[in-house]
Amino acid sequence: MDRACLHGRRIVPCAFSQSVSPDMLATAPLFPLEAELGIHLTEHGDVEVATPEVAEGVDVGAGDVLERFVREMHNLESRLNFVGYGMLCNQWMLDWGMGWNEFECRQLADEYQEAGIAERHEVVNRNNPDWPTAAVKLVRTNEMVRTALGFSDGPVSEPVPAR
């Protein structure tokens, strides 16, 4: 920054506020991307966080959170080649209001995996093939996933015999 100023250049950092060093803030004006892009981070306290109780097969009270997770994952899977586990837990689930921090989001994602709603798999890392990327995908054969996506046919009833 100082070098740029010596050469008559003006630098305006544009970054997410949590990733800007205090030294940088002291030398240049900051335009937070959160406000510019309309992103609401949980650190700002303006995102409602649903805290479900999920245990062995996913609690019925967690239905709204589960449906939100499934719908958002479905949207991500339709747009991306894969959904990275790190991005899912460190950013997207926080943006969706599914936890107060990354730890809670990782716990919830892991519980959904244990319940058979999502599964982890590895994706080849082109930059370093020895270290594959952890990814998550929905288990579309799971009945809760099918119901949340509106694919479930509902209960099958026996035909009424004619009299």
Side-chain angles (χ1 to χ4, degrees):
M1 293 288 280
D2 295 332
R3 181 182 246 176
C5 290
L6 288 174
H7 292 290
R9 301 286 183 216
R10 180 172 180 243
I11 303 226
V12 179
C14 192
F16 292 99
S17 60
Q18 65 190 21
S19 64
V20 180
S21 73
D23 295 338
M24 183 75 73
L25 289 172
T27 60
L30 174 71
F31 294 96
L33 282 176
E34 293 95 330
E36 197 66 32
L37 299 175
I39 296 172
H40 302 287
L41 299 177
T42 55
E43 71 183 31
H44 299 150
D46 56 358
V47 176
E48 279 189 39
V49 175
T51 53
E53 294 296 323
V54 180
E56 293 185 20
V58 184
D59 187 342
V60 176
D64 293 341
V65 175
L66 172 63
E67 286 181 21
R68 175 99 192 254
F69 176 82
V70 170
R71 283 192 316 269
E72 296 289 355
M73 277 291 295
H74 176 72
N75 291 336
L76 285 175
E77 288 178 342
S78 67
R79 293 189 332 250
L80 304 172
N81 291 333
F82 65 91
V83 177
Y85 178 77
M87 282 293 291
L88 176 67
C89 297
N90 299 344
Q91 181 178 346
W92 291 318
M93 288 178 72
L94 287 171
D95 292 345
W96 302 336
M98 301 193 82
W100 287 107
N101 55 39
E102 295 161 14
F103 177 75
E104 285 184 0
C105 292
R106 286 182 186 275
Q107 276 188 316
L108 185 59
D110 292 344
E111 289 171 3
Y112 284 160
Q113 289 172 53
E114 290 173 18
I117 292 165
E119 64 184 16
R120 258 173 104 162
H121 60 100
E122 292 183 345
V123 178
V124 175
N125 180 347
R126 292 180 289 165
N127 296 329
N128 190 349
D130 294 335
W131 296 94
T133 301
V136 179
K137 64 181 175 182
L138 289 174
V139 178
R140 296 184 186 280
T141 57
N142 181 292
E143 192 57 37
M144 286 185 272
V145 172
R146 293 180 59 73
T147 301
L149 292 175
F151 296 144
S152 182
D153 296 331
V156 177
S157 61
E158 295 295 320
V160 179
R163 291 186 195 189

